[in-house]
Amino acid sequence: HVIADAAYLVLPNARSRCAGLYFLSNTSTTTPPNPQPNGAVRVLCKTIRGVPSSAAEAETGGLFLNAQEAVPIKIALEEMGHPQPTTGTPLETDNSTAHDILTATVRMKRSKAFDMRYHWLKDRIAQKQFNIYWAPGKLNKADYYTKHFPPAHHRYQPCRLQSPTHLVNLLTSHLRGCVAPRSRIQDPSMTSAAICSFLAPRTSGHPRMSEDTSRLA
């Protein structure tokens, strides 16, 4: 699943920035897709080459760059035995104009001046390699990587991007072989806030380590 976003004219010399959030999820059967959120496996953040003439062109360019990054990931997953949706990999955008142009639901007039490379994505959508859909901008998780935000937003956003499932994977990867922490985190009564507090670094040291030290003494 890919969530794409772009910020128009936020860089010097009238440049724009695009970002993308990639994660693995279940196959959504709804229209538009509504996959179960998961931790990111890749985050894209780069400057769009050239100067787009509108926000829709910047969003289309961001979708193009994210789709190019997603193609080798799709191929790798299929070769590892993880079949992809027959309708195409979900590709989310919050720009309705870019969505309508790429799905051929509007007639192109001034948008014919778009960079020709962006029409590559239109062909891939027609081949059902990608399933592009629109979602409100307030739900777009890739927006975090495209703009400058105040400190309060940075403190809030990481917990919003990381789901409890991702935090379980993060914890168990650092504490392999420790059965007690795994069972504690997988407790259904544990909330996201409790998991974050459990993952917070401690200054007193690990209790089992101090117990082993006392035995040696």
Side-chain angles (χ1 to χ4, degrees):
H1 188 89
V2 183
I3 302 177
D5 191 38
Y8 181 54
L9 303 181
V10 295
L11 297 175
N13 300 321
R15 304 287 178 176
S16 300
R17 180 187 293 119
C18 72
L21 188 70
Y22 303 71
F23 63 92
L24 306 180
S25 185
N26 60 321
T27 301
S28 180
T29 57
T30 60
T31 303
N34 186 26
Q36 182 180 358
N38 199 358
V41 296
R42 177 172 174 77
V43 173
L44 174 73
C45 184
K46 65 190 321 181
T47 302
I48 300 175
R49 292 185 178 180
V51 180
S53 59
S54 63
E57 184 174 0
E59 293 281 354
T60 307
L63 289 166
F64 163 74
L65 293 173
N66 278 286
Q68 278 198 324
E69 291 283 335
V71 168
I73 300 177
K74 282 167 50 68
I75 296 174
L77 289 172
E78 290 174 352
E79 291 183 350
M80 288 190 296
H82 301 285
Q84 300 302 294
T86 56
T87 56
T89 298
L91 180 60
E92 179 182 318
T93 179
D94 60 358
N95 188 279
S96 58
T97 303
H99 169 270
D100 293 344
I101 289 174
L102 292 171
T103 54
T105 55
V106 298
R107 295 185 60 182
M108 298 179 63
K109 291 184 178 180
R110 289 190 177 183
S111 56
K112 287 184 178 179
F114 279 19
D115 195 316
M116 291 299 296
R117 294 177 302 168
Y118 300 163
H119 293 276
W120 173 91
L121 178 56
K122 192 173 181 180
D123 292 337
R124 296 297 177 113
I125 293 173
Q127 298 170 17
K128 293 187 176 181
Q129 294 191 24
F130 292 97
N131 179 18
I132 185 172
Y133 68 98
W134 177 88
K138 63 181 180 180
L139 302 178
N140 193 301
K141 295 182 179 180
D143 180 73
Y144 174 71
Y145 305 100
T146 61
K147 303 175 182 67
H148 295 287
F149 293 101
H153 187 80
H154 290 290
R155 287 192 293 268
Y156 161 75
Q157 194 70 9
C159 289
R160 176 174 174 264
L161 294 176
Q162 290 182 335
S163 66
T165 303
H166 175 60
L167 290 176
V168 170
N169 296 335
L170 180 65
L171 177 69
T172 53
S173 64
H174 289 282
L175 298 177
R176 294 178 181 175
C178 298
V179 180
R182 178 191 289 267
S183 60
R184 181 176 178 184
I185 295 300
Q186 289 180 342
D187 185 354
S189 62
M190 290 288 287
T191 62
S192 299
I195 294 175
C196 289
S197 63
F198 183 77
L199 289 174
R202 297 175 175 80
T203 57
S204 58
H206 199 286
R208 293 187 62 182
M209 183 179 297
S210 59
E211 181 182 352
D212 294 340
T213 306
S214 61
R215 288 180 180 179
L216 291 176

